[in-house]
Amino acid sequence: MSAASVAGEVMEELDAAVRPADDFGEQLLEVSMGPQHPSTHGVFRMNVALDGERVMKLKPVFGYLHRNHEKIAEQETYLGSMPYTDRLDYFCSITNNWAYALAVEKLAGITVPERAEYLRVITGELTRLQNHACLIGFLLQDMGASGTPLMYAFREREKILDLFEALTGARMMCNYMRFGGCRVDLPAGWLEQARGVVAGFPKFLDEFEQLLQSNEILMERTQGVGVLSKELAINAAVSGPMARASGVNYDLRKVDRYGIYDRFAFRVPLGAHGDVYDRYMIRVLEMRESVKILEQAMKEIPGGPIVDPKTKIRGFRPKPGEAYGRIEAPKGELGFYLVSDGSANPYRYRVRPPSLINLTVLEDMCLGRNVADVVIILGSVDIVLGEVDR
Amino acid sequence: MELEVAKAAIEAAVPGCRLEMVVNPSPSAQHSLLMDAEHAVAVATWLRDAEGMRFDYCSNVTGIDWPAKELTEKVKVKKLVDGPNGPEEKEVDEVRKTLVPGFLEVVYHLFSVERRDGPVVLRMRTVDREARVHLPSLTGVWRSADFQEREIFDLYGVVFDGHPDLRRLLMWDEFKDHPMRRDYVEPDDYEYEPTAHDEVLERARQHVIAAGGRTA
């Protein structure tokens, strides 16, 4: 045996001890993204396994904002939970109120007067406008368009929040709905102010579109990224703009026709590719449809009471039974499932959070993409952790 | 879809399954079908795929806890009672107590995107609340049940057989109890998730003791 071959053997042994020869290519790097990361839109964490830049595995971790909303609501009266629903999706407190009021109205068989239905549609669609505008702002912020688009969106949101403040006394925690109607009627001059805000909104959208729609960087970053198939979207009960971007024609305003949505002429935009760009575009188009609904509703709003006078507010005890009520919230299908045992507080109170259920498919959308894409895919889902963790 | 019609159709399609109508007396009139655990996956798959059903959208999955409860009822019983003229037969009120055993219930709300129909409400019940809390997972039928079943496992303690990744969702992994159960008692002192910080503090304490110092 020559000296050279012995040396070769020793080197091989050494190599094997230090680093298995062919193991290097298979090593995955585990990265914990979040919970304290600006791109997670709150305290959300993803455990990501990376092969270089490519995502091989992604497991979301929840619960950082968990306070057991449902248990607290079960120890509270029915009306007592109304202000607490504001804190679920704190961007859209009015639609949270609406979903809860709708479920209780189904449970107890309460009717809602005409004017209150119109007030609900007006405030609900204003909520949708500001939510979608901000979401697009955040999405672009995630993409690196620092500040400008987000501040444009916040400028519009500010006008809508001023309207909410004038109406309900609060900018974000509105606590506006009551079982069988709304809490307060419109103050003098509110409708004119709202008409002005809504009339100015398409101009903002035009400006936004001019800035972004055909922006090359935006298209490069979003088209073909985070594709979600129609079949998977339905099977995973993905709802809201995210489902419609994948071509699922399922808008509860059209399907359930809750409230008075059957009276308004509006269309449901659908995406063809199910990628991040479609999700972005769907929201832009939905804002235009919301403006249409708002214009019609503000033209037709009748006078009359804003709450059903027969509704019992004190000592409210619905008969035993259960009900599931759902609405098309800006983030998707927001449902409340209530079980009553005839007492003053619900026996079971369940929130069906659209943000949480839309995250079911996050891993499917991110596999094989880069880390930077994960950030914008998550941004395009539109989550609020107050609702995800409850 | 009329639930009676659906029930008859399921019974014809899935032989041997035991279904029971659960009537909902509230104005919402959302009645539901109670399925047996054995045939649940077959029933769910059939409801999803069958022509004329196509309940492809399982929107909401949730749990309900029904603890054991004591029902008291007054029954009139004939008894021999001592009277002035010796024992005589009399009708006496007697309180009879029956114990209804507790169980955990899981509720699925189904809709059909294709036919724009729903909700069809399915329920399943565990045998009791302690040892026999297993139910089949429907995540294989509807992906949307994935996180929601994990949440029920976490907060109610229902064990879903066949779930691909059954871990706690909202509480931390080391947590012991199930907070959404009706008889859950909040601990006086929360057992926080152990952190590296605790270890450091403990080492520091040992160091002080070894040096002959006093620790609080």
Side-chain angles (χ1 to χ4, degrees), chain A residues 301-314:
Chain A
I301 182 168
I306 57 156
V307 77
D308 190 351
K310 278 177 287 181
T311 317
K312 221 176 137 194
I313 290 178
R314 302 215 179 277

Side-chain angles (χ1 to χ4, degrees), chain A residues 59-64 66 68 70-71 74 106-109 232-239 248-251 254-256 319-326 333 337 339 341 346-352 356-357 359-361 364 388-390, chain B residues 24-32 48 56-67 107 109 111-113 116-117 119 121 123 139-148 150-151 155-156 165 167 169-171 178-184:
Chain A
K59 295 285 170 216
V61 183
F62 303 99
Y64 291 94
H66 180 54
N68 221 338
E70 295 176 3
K71 185 94 177 176
E74 281 170 17
K106 276 194 176 179
L107 180 69
L232 182 60
I234 296 176
N235 195 250
V238 170
S239 53
V248 182
N249 187 0
Y250 203 62
D251 186 324
K254 290 278 189 195
V255 176
D256 283 9
K319 288 193 189 76
E322 59 174 53
Y324 179 67
R326 55 177 194 164
E333 174 188 335
Y337 173 65
V339 178
D341 59 352
Y347 185 82
R348 176 77 177 104
Y349 166 107
R350 148 86 177 165
V351 187
R352 187 248 188 230
L356 173 72
I357 293 161
L359 283 176
T360 312
V361 290
D364 302 67
V388 172
D389 288 343
R390 280 157 298 133
Chain B
N24 178 0
S26 88
S28 76
Q30 293 168 345
H31 309 301
S32 47
R48 184 192 64 182
D56 43 11
Y57 188 87
C58 175
S59 172
N60 181 41
V61 186
T62 189
I64 309 176
D65 181 19
W66 300 97
V107 186
H109 284 85
F111 293 86
S112 170
V113 171
R116 301 208 163 183
D117 198 357
V121 190
R123 321 177 87 91
T139 303
V141 185
W142 295 290
R143 265 291 294 283
S144 51
D146 188 347
F147 287 170
Q148 304 190 67
R150 271 178 70 187
E151 187 182 316
L155 303 181
Y156 283 95
D165 183 23
R167 287 177 293 135
L169 186 83
L170 297 169
M171 306 304 281
H178 305 292
M180 279 300 283
R181 290 205 181 182
R182 309 288 296 185
D183 51 4
Y184 172 74

Side-chain angles (χ1 to χ4, degrees), chain A residues 1-39:
Chain A
M1 195 179 273
S2 71
S5 75
V6 171
E9 260 174 42
V10 170
M11 281 307 286
E12 252 170 44
E13 268 172 34
L14 207 71
D15 243 12
V18 175
R19 189 184 73 206
D22 50 6
D23 219 17
F24 190 66
E26 289 171 19
Q27 266 185 4
L28 295 183
L29 178 68
E30 266 187 48
V31 177
S32 172
M33 288 176 76
Q36 312 294 348
H37 191 277
S39 75

